[in-house]
Amino acid sequence: MIGTIALRDWLGAFRTPVGWVLLAATQGILGYVLLKVLDEFTGPEPALRTAGLNLELSHNLFGAAAVLLLLTVPLLAARALGGELRDGTWALLASAPVSPAEILLGKFLGLALLLLPVCLLPAGLGLMLLGAAPVDPGLLAAATLGLWLTGLLFAAVGLFAASLVSQPIAAAVAGYGLLVLLSVVNRTELLGAPQLGVLDWLAWNQHLFWFLTGVVRISDLAYFGLMTAAFLALALRRLDNLRLG
């Protein structure tokens, strides 16, 4: 049943312009970023940089893709779950012989499949330079993994936000608020406490950074796994309450 729900949501995204617009916009923006990076290395006055081409590609392409995920995933999650709550189809799903956990995991898996090609696009653009530049496939693979894990975390946060309210717009706004909080929570110097390591650990961008440098650490994998599971658990608790109510 989880696979059926995931396939329904994934196909639904491509039966409408949503999935195609997402891929086209991502391709266009990342293509522009790639040209800007290459221009700095091959232009008439190449910039003097301490980082090599691989790090520049990783930080710029995957960094831009992460920003795009931050902007789009709350909307996609609000559409996937908030739309069900708004249109009343959630009651039909909840009355079917399927648990809220299966419904939630199906929605999550559908979003994960939708985000996968978006996360592969930066690596595809980088690999186009093979043979013409010293591209490091291992670095691109690590960055792709980190970007996908970041997208999964965003999806879990978005689904939790969508479980709180029945209006997709409000759900998207709540998702943006939570993700922005997780983005700036480590800016403790603004609070006069620069040594709060726990807040630094909670920021997703701190962990994505290591993937973009080609380093896959167990602590970063654990962060994305634990945070994603925590937000899915909160969303499941909320959906259980809705079903009982």
Side-chain angles (χ1 to χ4, degrees):
M1 183 58 70
I2 294 175
T4 301
I5 296 173
L7 184 61
R8 168 180 170 267
D9 280 13
W10 182 76
L11 291 176
F14 288 100
R15 290 193 184 106
T16 63
V18 172
W20 302 110
V21 169
L22 175 63
L23 291 177
T26 303
Q27 179 70 19
I29 293 172
L30 294 184
Y32 174 77
V33 172
L34 176 64
L35 292 177
K36 291 291 289 184
V37 172
L38 294 179
D39 184 62
E40 294 174 348
F41 280 86
T42 61
E45 295 181 359
L48 297 177
R49 295 180 178 274
T50 56
L53 175 62
N54 286 290
L55 287 179
E56 287 293 315
L57 288 173
S58 175
H59 290 167
N60 285 276
L61 284 177
F62 289 92
V67 173
L68 290 173
L69 292 180
L70 182 67
L71 295 175
T72 57
V73 171
L75 290 172
L76 296 173
R79 174 183 176 273
L81 184 57
E84 303 274 11
L85 296 173
R86 179 198 59 192
D87 298 336
T89 53
W90 168 255
L92 296 176
L93 281 174
S95 62
V98 56
S99 67
E102 290 176 307
I103 298 173
L104 180 65
L105 289 177
K107 297 288 184 183
F108 178 71
L109 181 57
L111 287 173
L113 293 175
L114 181 59
L115 297 179
L116 183 57
V118 176
C119 295
L120 291 174
L121 278 175
L125 290 173
L127 292 175
M128 288 174 57
L129 301 176
L130 279 175
V135 176
D136 184 357
L139 174 60
L140 296 180
T144 301
L145 174 61
L147 181 63
W148 194 51
L149 291 175
T150 301
L152 295 183
L153 173 59
F154 291 174
V157 172
L159 289 173
F160 169 62
S163 70
L164 298 176
V165 291
S166 59
Q167 293 299 321
I169 298 299
V173 172
Y176 285 130
L178 289 171
L179 289 178
V180 169
L181 178 62
L182 288 176
S183 302
V184 301
V185 68
N186 63 323
R187 299 296 300 274
T188 52
E189 67 273 10
L190 299 179
L191 303 177
Q195 301 298 324
L196 296 182
V198 175
L199 294 182
D200 196 55
W201 183 85
L202 287 174
W204 60 268
N205 42 18
Q206 293 293 108
H207 299 275
L208 176 61
F209 169 80
W210 289 102
F211 286 98
L212 300 189
T213 59
V215 179
V216 179
R217 306 188 306 176
I218 294 178
S219 59
D220 299 320
L221 294 173
Y223 166 82
F224 284 111
L226 290 173
M227 291 293 286
T228 300
F231 278 103
L232 287 177
L234 290 172
L236 178 59
R237 179 62 180 270
R238 173 62 179 168
L239 293 178
D240 280 332
N241 291 339
L242 289 176
R243 192 173 192 178
L244 294 175

